[in-house]
Amino acid sequence: MTGKFISFEGPDGAGKTSVLAAIVERLSSYYGDDLLLTREPGGRDNVVAEAIRDLVLSPDYPEMDPRTEALLYAASRREHIQKTIKPALVAGKLVISDRYVDSSIAYQGAGREIGFEAVLQVNQFAIEDFWPDKTIYLDIRPEVGLARINQYRTDEINRLDMDPLSFHQRVSAGYHRLAKMAPDRIVVIDAEQPLEQVIEDVWQVLSQELKVED
Ligand SMILES: Nc1ncnc2c1ncn2[C@@H]1O[C@H](COP(=O)(O)OP(=O)(O)OP(=O)(O)O)[C@@H](O)[C@H]1O
Ligand SMILES: [Mg+2]
């Protein structure tokens, strides 16, 4: 594979989607059609992965068993890798995903308390050691992220947004543990700064990683 694979991670409301929109716009002048922006759960134009997304994020199933949820995320990810991410990388593209496997480990492993190792194991079956070249982790206190969502967004509240703060605090702790475990892959960005500064910090990291000139 010749392309590069970058993931964006962070708690709800960290700014992943907002920062990505700006970064993708800046990168598209260098990459054109060789840039694929995708997201998890689900994946661009990936019907199976998107169908599982609809199931797993639906507020209609508040009582879903945590391990069922973890398996569904892993299944969706497998489909995303095989049908969307890897073919793009083989074609030499830059692939950027809004969330990837770290989300499962932080949300299901730490947040739902299934355990880091258990969720990692389930995901290893799905990913077969296929990790991003770089992961941008937008670090924010969960209460700050949730306040942003409540302030700005009323249309798209999903099942995870309805969880108590203690759940989101475990998610945040899970991300910090991951960042310590994989310091070469995961770059921590202070996401409590103004959006323009967060975008600038991310750009510094990515332009260097991708060797694009400013
Ligand atoms: N640095 C920032 N400062 C203030 N507000 C921000 C900042 N970054 C994003 N926001 C706002 O916070 C809200 C959440 O941002 P966004 O949807 O990009 O987060 P996200 O990480 O993608 O969240 P989710 O995990 O729920 O998808 C948006 O309304 C956005 O405009
Ligand atoms: Mg988002």
Side-chain angles (χ1 to χ4, degrees):
M1 272 180 279
T2 54
K4 263 198 189 247
F5 178 35
I6 311 280
S7 64
F8 273 58
E9 293 283 356
D12 301 46
K16 298 175 293 298
T17 305
S18 309
V19 172
L20 262 170
I23 291 291
V24 162
E25 198 184 313
R26 277 169 93 162
L27 283 173
S28 58
S29 61
Y30 301 95
Y31 283 87
D33 289 342
D34 286 335
L35 170 57
L36 178 76
L37 174 64
T38 184
R39 59 126 195 238
E40 289 198 353
R44 228 176 127 151
D45 300 332
N46 188 315
V47 284
V48 173
E50 285 287 318
I52 301 173
R53 175 193 176 92
D54 291 343
L55 177 64
V56 90
L57 291 183
S58 169
D60 295 342
Y61 312 114
E63 302 294 325
M64 191 182 292
D65 175 80
R67 284 176 184 245
T68 305
E69 187 187 52
L71 288 165
L72 286 171
Y73 276 114
S76 174
R77 177 162 303 122
R78 173 76 187 172
E79 202 64 17
H80 191 209
I81 293 168
Q82 296 301 104
K83 308 273 174 59
T84 304
I85 300 174
K86 280 191 175 172
L89 292 177
V90 168
K93 295 188 182 190
L94 168 64
V95 179
I96 305 183
S97 186
D98 189 339
R99 296 192 179 280
Y100 185 62
V101 65
D102 298 300
S103 284
S104 282
I105 298 168
Y107 281 76
Q108 276 66 56
R112 299 260 182 255
E113 299 182 294
I114 298 173
F116 241 61
E117 287 308 319
V119 175
L120 185 57
Q121 224 178 342
V122 161
N123 275 278
Q124 278 293 16
F125 178 74
I127 76 174
E128 296 181 284
D129 232 15
F130 177 69
W131 295 89
D133 296 296
K134 261 303 173 245
T135 296
I136 303 293
Y137 168 54
L138 298 185
D139 189 30
I140 190 169
R141 284 169 293 166
E143 57 271 30
V144 178
L146 292 175
R148 280 182 189 169
I149 289 178
N150 290 333
Q151 187 181 349
Y152 297 110
R153 199 171 71 181
T154 50
D155 54 324
E156 204 196 305
I157 300 294
N158 68 44
R159 200 160 52 79
L160 294 174
D161 294 332
M162 302 187 317
D163 282 304
L165 181 60
S166 55
F167 166 80
H168 292 282
Q169 281 164 340
R170 289 194 299 273
V171 170
S172 173
Y175 270 128
H176 287 148
R177 189 171 154 194
L178 278 162
K180 277 211 183 86
M181 278 168 56
D184 292 340
R185 174 174 64 88
I186 301 176
V187 181
V188 182
I189 302 284
D190 176 4
E192 292 194 16
Q193 304 177 97
L195 180 57
E196 287 312 313
Q197 189 58 50
V198 180
I199 292 166
E200 205 43 51
D201 287 4
V202 171
W203 179 255
Q204 288 309 318
V205 173
L206 284 187
S207 55
Q208 211 176 358
E209 170 73 19
L210 300 170
K211 300 183 178 68
V212 295
E213 307 200 345
D214 221 345

